[in-house]
Amino acid sequence: MKLWGGRFTTAESKLMEDFNSSLSFDKTLYKQDISGSIAHVKMLSKCGILNVDEECLIISGLEEILDQIESGSLYIEGSYEDIHSFIEAKLTEMLGEIGKKLHTARSRNDQVAVDMRLYAKEKSYEIITDVQSLIKALIELGEKHNGVIMPGYTHMQRAQVVTFKYHLLAYVSMFDRDMKRLKNAVEILNESPLGCCALAGTTYNIDREFTANELGFSKPINNFLDGVSDRDYLLELLSAFSIIMMHLSRLCEELILWSTKEFNFVQISDQFATGSSIMPQKKNPDAAELIRGKTGRVYGSLISLLTTMKSLPLAYNKDMQEDKEPFFDSITTVQSSLKVMTEMLSTLKVNSNKMKEAVKMGFLNATEVADFLVLKGLAFRDAHGLVGSIVLYCEEKHKAIEDLTLSELKRFSPFFDESIYEYIDYENSLEKGIKKEMK
Ligand code: ARG
């Protein structure tokens, strides 16, 4: 069943019909399509283009179709070109001639554009909530292990002491920015393309403000050509999703490393790990690896749509149908990744002793030793060199700096006195200067 055909003399090839059909994936949009149609019909009646009886019949028909789809009595399948054709066909089957009036002063071009915007908005709000839950899990994990110290790294080499909580708060900052990006993208996309019609508006005196308002958009889109051919909002969201995945993937990488026997800082719950079919001792961090792996897939969607859009002349082109699968796939991927990460963090075990041990064995107070000498009057560059030789000495003796006796330290500099031990104590050092912010 087609929405066109009048000017054709030969039937469409079956091959082309299958190639062209988007129903198998744009059925995802059935709810938005029905909401968009209801708003459109209300507007047509308000503007005197349909009468009130027609309005009521069409709206109750559309509501009936929605009920049937949601209750499972109407299955979205068959040789329809897309979800728009499917719903219109079902409405016409139900109402006869009146059903055919629904599409007055509308094109599938503005119809699909409004459906996608409504869907993108709804899913973005869901993802914002998912990011909020993740942020909450990160904060709770940090609070639960308040005061636990660990090595902070640069170049994957132990650098200076930080708290575990502070390390997690770095991710909180990242996900906080992600939320801002999502909210910003929603604000930009929140304009209605309905009424742009195919590309040039309509000779009917329709009310675009009314439908925009009815559907929760802030205003109608300015330019008709732009309204039907803009996919920037999907690109912005895919870019925000890619950055979320990049952040998740960095966290995954750390969890994977930290759960190795070599680090042993954390244990991922059995609920989020799997075993090996051959090596009985193994527990693999599959959930974290999968999130890291799925990141590539979301980047792929962004690049795919950017490439689809790059040479499209105005206005609508069928190429744009290719926006759906990557976008839908990214939504599912981002949502499941955020949920799995949130649960994985809520069930994570932290080996604080191992973290502390790594701090002690990493000379992470070497910078504080240099700071101490500077306070006593040495220039920082000289203090840096001097502490370097202390570290060399310690490595030879298999000792930490704080394990050296005062007379050993004095061999390096007369500036050392008893107060050095208090000064370079790891917990104490976190109380000094702006490091207090880490607490
Ligand atoms: N399935 C189409 C899409 O997703 C709907 C719009 C069709 N418009 C058209 N002029 N053929 O883009």
Side-chain angles (χ1 to χ4, degrees):
M1 150 66 198
K2 289 205 174 28
L3 299 178
W4 44 268
R7 61 97 63 223
F8 287 77
T9 49
T10 310
E12 190 183 21
S13 119
K14 174 80 177 87
L15 196 60
M16 173 55 187
E17 196 172 290
D18 293 343
F19 191 59
N20 192 31
S21 174
S22 52
L23 187 68
S24 63
F25 49 88
D26 67 15
K27 63 182 178 190
T28 308
L29 300 172
Y30 72 87
K31 230 179 0 182
Q32 290 75 16
D33 199 71
I34 290 174
S35 311
S37 290
I38 291 177
H40 180 65
V41 168
K42 282 187 185 168
M43 182 278 294
L44 290 177
S45 159
K46 180 186 160 285
C47 296
I49 300 165
L50 291 184
N51 65 43
V52 176
D53 289 346
E54 289 167 334
E55 174 195 357
C56 292
L57 275 171
I58 295 179
I59 291 178
S60 54
L62 287 167
E63 284 169 351
E64 172 67 25
I65 292 171
L66 180 64
D67 277 354
Q68 288 179 2
I69 294 174
E70 305 224 297
S71 68
S73 63
L74 176 60
Y75 196 70
I76 306 177
E77 61 182 356
S79 56
Y80 300 90
E81 203 173 308
D82 48 34
I83 187 64
H84 326 295
S85 319
F86 176 85
I87 290 172
E88 197 178 317
K90 294 295 153 191
L91 188 73
T92 306
E93 265 171 40
M94 198 183 272
L95 304 181
E97 289 303 302
I98 292 174
K100 296 185 190 166
K101 295 195 172 186
L102 166 66
H103 209 55
T104 316
R106 188 176 70 169
S107 153
R108 273 183 299 164
N109 297 351
D110 58 341
Q111 187 177 358
V112 74
V114 87
D115 291 3
M116 276 302 264
R117 280 185 196 244
L118 287 172
Y119 180 82
K121 219 165 88 169
E122 190 180 314
K123 289 292 162 185
S124 299
Y125 287 135
E126 281 178 30
I127 294 177
I128 288 170
T129 307
D130 295 336
V131 175
Q132 269 163 346
S133 306
L134 173 60
I135 288 179
K136 189 163 164 268
L138 282 161
I139 293 174
E140 278 171 9
L141 182 63
E143 286 302 333
K144 194 165 147 196
H145 301 283
N146 201 10
V148 169
I149 56 169
M150 67 175 285
Y153 294 82
T154 61
H155 312 271
M156 269 313 286
Q157 303 291 324
R158 292 174 199 167
Q160 288 187 303
V161 66
V162 294
T163 60
F164 178 58
K165 177 170 124 183
Y166 199 68
H167 193 107
L168 295 178
L169 287 176
Y171 285 99
V172 170
S173 298
M174 297 178 223
F175 292 118
D176 208 49
R177 284 195 298 278
D178 289 329
M179 281 209 295
K180 287 189 190 141
R181 264 184 281 273
L182 291 170
K183 287 178 184 166
N184 188 53
V186 170
E187 201 185 310
I188 296 175
L189 76 80
N190 199 22
E191 295 182 0
S192 173
L194 200 56
C196 292
C197 296
L199 76 162
T202 171
T203 49
Y204 283 101
N205 210 1
I206 59 170
D207 187 344
R208 297 182 62 220
E209 292 280 348
F210 177 89
T211 42
N213 191 45
E214 194 71 14
L215 293 168
F217 291 109
S218 62
K219 65 189 256 304
I221 285 178
N222 257 340
N223 182 291
F224 301 143
L225 293 162
D226 182 48
V228 289
S229 64
D230 168 30
R231 297 294 181 270
D232 294 3
Y233 63 101
L234 296 178
L235 291 169
E236 280 196 52
L237 287 171
L238 284 170
S239 150
F241 297 163
S242 295
I243 299 176
I244 291 177
M245 291 304 292
M246 180 268 285
H247 290 153
L248 285 173
S249 185
R250 293 181 78 174
L251 181 53
C252 285
E253 176 68 13
E254 300 212 289
L255 291 175
I256 293 164
L257 271 175
W258 291 350
S259 61
T260 57
K261 285 280 173 282
E262 286 73 10
F263 271 83
N264 201 11
F265 285 179
V266 299
Q267 270 163 273
I268 292 173
S269 157
D270 285 0
Q271 294 176 69
F272 292 96
T274 62
S276 155
S277 56
I278 171 168
M279 298 162 283
Q281 86 285 8
K282 290 200 71 189
K283 178 171 151 184
N284 299 326
D286 289 32
E289 289 170 309
L290 275 171
I291 296 173
R292 192 177 57 181
K294 285 173 190 289
T295 303
R297 183 170 166 154
V298 176
Y299 291 3
S301 296
L302 171 63
I303 298 300
S304 154
L305 186 57
L306 276 171
T307 313
T308 297
M309 296 303 295
K310 77 180 260 290
S311 309
L312 293 190
L314 299 185
Y316 178 83
N317 298 270
K318 197 58 176 270
D319 314 45
M320 289 177 184
Q321 179 164 288
E322 290 298 310
D323 61 356
K324 291 178 192 59
E325 286 160 293
F327 188 69
F328 296 161
D329 184 75
S330 296
I331 299 266
T332 317
T333 307
V334 172
Q335 285 200 294
S336 57
S337 300
L338 284 166
K339 289 194 168 103
V340 167
M341 178 57 90
T342 303
E343 283 298 306
M344 194 160 47
L345 292 178
S346 312
T347 52
L348 192 75
K349 286 223 162 59
V350 174
N351 303 334
S352 48
N353 287 339
K354 287 282 170 199
M355 290 184 178
K356 196 165 179 176
E357 239 169 67
V359 168
K360 264 194 81 94
M361 298 323 294
F363 304 108
L364 299 194
N365 49 6
T367 312
E368 277 67 40
V369 180
D371 286 345
F372 176 89
L373 293 171
V374 169
L375 276 176
K376 299 283 175 186
L378 217 58
F380 183 77
R381 203 40 69 208
D382 294 333
H384 184 283
L386 196 148
V387 179
S389 46
I390 296 178
V391 168
L392 258 183
Y393 174 84
C394 285
E395 276 186 334
E396 226 168 75
K397 303 266 173 206
H398 301 288
K399 281 181 169 180
I401 303 179
E402 62 275 24
D403 296 336
L404 299 181
T405 63
L406 192 55
S407 62
E408 274 177 305
L409 285 168
K410 275 187 180 295
R411 259 184 257 153
F412 291 93
S413 166
F415 286 132
F416 283 117
D417 60 40
E418 207 39 66
S419 65
I420 181 68
Y421 297 107
E422 188 271 329
Y423 195 88
I424 63 172
D425 175 82
Y426 288 106
E427 265 90 5
N428 285 345
S429 75
L430 288 171
E431 300 289 350
K432 291 195 171 68
I434 62 160
K435 280 185 190 284
K436 280 198 282 290
E437 285 175 27
M438 282 202 247
K439 277 290 198 166

